[in-house]
Amino acid sequence: MKKIILIITLILNTSCILLSAQTTATTNINTPFVGTWQWQNGNQTFQVELFLNENGRIRGHFTMLETNSNGLQIIVYKSNRDIGFGHTFGSVIYGSSDGTILYAGIDDNTVPNPNNYPGLSGKLKMEIITTGNCIGCSTTATWKVKEQQEGRFEGDNRTLNIPTDIILTKVN
């Protein structure tokens, strides 16, 4: 009987250690940023979808929606648009955080391109300002994008198409 109790205790202890290790492995400092964020300006809604890649780094897409007079949302532009043959554009947001501030690169591939220039790049800083830990409170974050000038063609005077200084609310 003592051997059975010892074996059961050993199995339970091993299970708890494995469960604890698995929980620790799935916890990621970038997790507070994962989800869908949005900003509304009149009948336009800018949405950002952030997720973790296989290495635990933040990746993402953005979409600008507009609500028409019938109440239907139409896509004005989106970063992961169809590029043909059943493929979509890859992630345009790529970075990592300290749990409160996300530093990332961002490619605005929605900028009009009359001269076949590449899309515009920027540096994104997204900082969580409220955490939604209170009843009825939503998590919000600043979204600031600074356009990069390096690597641009002479005479390329385009500007970013995406919002560059807004406050986003996490919606899921």
Side-chain angles (χ1 to χ4, degrees):
M1 184 68 168
K2 287 183 181 180
K3 284 185 178 181
I4 293 174
I5 292 174
L6 182 62
I7 291 171
I8 291 172
T9 304
L10 185 61
I11 290 171
L12 288 174
N13 284 341
T14 304
S15 298
C16 288
I17 290 169
L18 290 174
L19 182 59
S20 174
Q22 182 181 10
T23 302
T24 302
T26 59
T27 302
N28 184 310
I29 198 161
N30 293 318
T31 301
F33 290 93
V34 173
T36 303
W37 299 78
Q38 71 180 26
W39 169 73
Q40 202 152 5
N41 184 26
N43 65 341
Q44 289 192 324
T45 303
F46 181 67
Q47 286 186 337
V48 177
E49 178 191 353
L50 299 176
F51 52 91
L52 299 178
N53 71 357
E54 61 279 353
N55 297 322
R57 296 210 172 251
I58 294 176
R59 297 295 182 261
H61 304 288
F62 58 81
T63 304
M64 179 64 83
L65 301 164
E66 189 169 277
T67 305
N68 67 18
S69 59
N70 295 328
L72 298 174
Q73 284 191 324
I74 57 169
I75 296 172
V76 177
Y77 58 77
K78 67 180 186 172
S79 64
N80 61 337
R81 67 186 185 276
D82 184 10
I83 56 175
F85 305 103
H87 298 283
T88 57
F89 217 95
S91 297
V92 295
I93 300 170
Y94 38 91
S96 60
S97 78
D98 64 5
T100 304
I101 301 174
L102 162 66
Y103 293 101
I106 185 166
D107 296 323
D108 188 349
N109 61 0
T110 68
V111 175
N113 192 358
N115 297 318
N116 290 326
Y117 292 140
L120 296 179
S121 296
K123 294 179 183 178
L124 167 64
K125 179 181 177 186
M126 186 174 168
E127 184 173 1
I128 294 176
I129 51 178
T130 60
T131 60
N133 287 339
C134 63
I135 297 172
C137 296
S138 299
T139 301
T140 58
T142 59
W143 165 276
K144 296 182 186 281
V145 180
K146 184 175 180 188
E147 190 174 308
Q148 285 185 232
Q149 297 299 318
E150 306 88 40
R152 302 225 7 213
F153 290 103
E154 191 174 320
D156 183 0
N157 57 1
R158 297 173 300 154
T159 59
L160 293 170
N161 199 30
I162 59 174
T164 57
D165 190 358
I166 58 175
I167 295 180
L168 295 167
T169 302
K170 193 170 190 180
V171 293
N172 71 23

